[in-house]
Amino acid sequence: THGNGGAYPGQKLQRQRQRMAVYGDGDRGFAMTTALSIRQPWAWLIVNGYKNIENRTWSTGFRGSFLVHASKKIDCAGLEWVRLNCPDIVLPMVFETGGIVGSAEVVGIINTQRDGDFWFTGPYGFVLRNAHPLPFVPMLGSTGFFPTDYEEAP
């Protein structure tokens, strides 16, 4: 190791900056806007008000608003599942990928199925509210919640 918990030089500082950007730094609050990469069609379903649970294999202490980043890859099996199980939802012919497509707010975490949680598959579900689409802005994604320098166009 390199004497810093197994991280290479610079990695520890980078992780520290990401945590500050996501969780804030005491009185200074949020330093940047936070985003979460989500594959299509799930990102579209969230920002258009259909899907109120984002499934993950990990939990988070994050609560609040975040940007929905559409990953470059499309979940083809998921798209087929939506077409079969949600025939009343009119999906777009082409999904925007590789950028910001909207925003939402994490208001809680669930780890068990509850009545009315159609979208929960677990093991963790981020409960979402106040989702809406935004004009597409190309941007590289990352894993987990990540900081961005996104500024909404005036």
Side-chain angles (χ1 to χ4, degrees):
T1 67
H2 296 280
N4 59 359
Y8 293 99
Q11 281 183 317
K12 189 172 183 181
L13 180 59
Q14 181 181 9
R15 284 193 300 254
Q16 197 171 31
R17 285 182 180 152
Q18 286 176 334
R19 278 193 301 275
M20 281 178 53
V22 172
Y23 296 107
D25 181 25
D27 294 335
R28 293 190 322 178
F30 290 93
M32 298 180 188
T33 304
T34 302
L36 180 65
S37 287
I38 302 171
R39 286 187 179 183
Q40 295 287 24
W42 312 117
W44 185 90
L45 289 164
I46 289 168
V47 302
N48 285 282
Y50 294 104
K51 186 172 183 268
N52 65 338
I53 302 286
E54 169 57 14
N55 295 290
R56 294 285 159 155
T57 58
W58 47 275
S59 187
T60 182
F62 178 84
R63 299 295 184 275
S65 296
F66 69 97
L67 295 168
V68 176
H69 176 273
S71 301
K72 286 188 177 183
K73 293 182 180 179
I74 293 177
D75 180 351
C76 294
L79 179 56
E80 189 59 30
W81 184 92
V82 173
R83 286 184 175 141
L84 291 172
N85 292 285
C86 308
D88 294 338
I89 298 177
V90 179
L91 297 168
M93 295 297 291
V94 176
F95 290 98
E96 295 172 316
T97 59
I100 302 300
V101 295
S103 68
E105 180 182 359
V106 176
V107 296
I109 304 289
I110 59 173
N111 60 10
T112 57
Q113 186 75 36
R114 303 179 306 188
D115 288 340
D117 290 334
F118 174 76
W119 298 104
F120 179 74
T121 60
Y124 299 97
F126 299 177
V127 180
L128 307 176
R129 299 279 188 273
N130 302 320
H132 63 278
L134 292 171
F136 181 76
V137 176
M139 182 179 294
L140 290 175
S142 189
T143 57
F145 286 100
F146 62 95
T148 74
D149 56 1
Y150 175 88
E151 289 185 28
E152 193 172 348

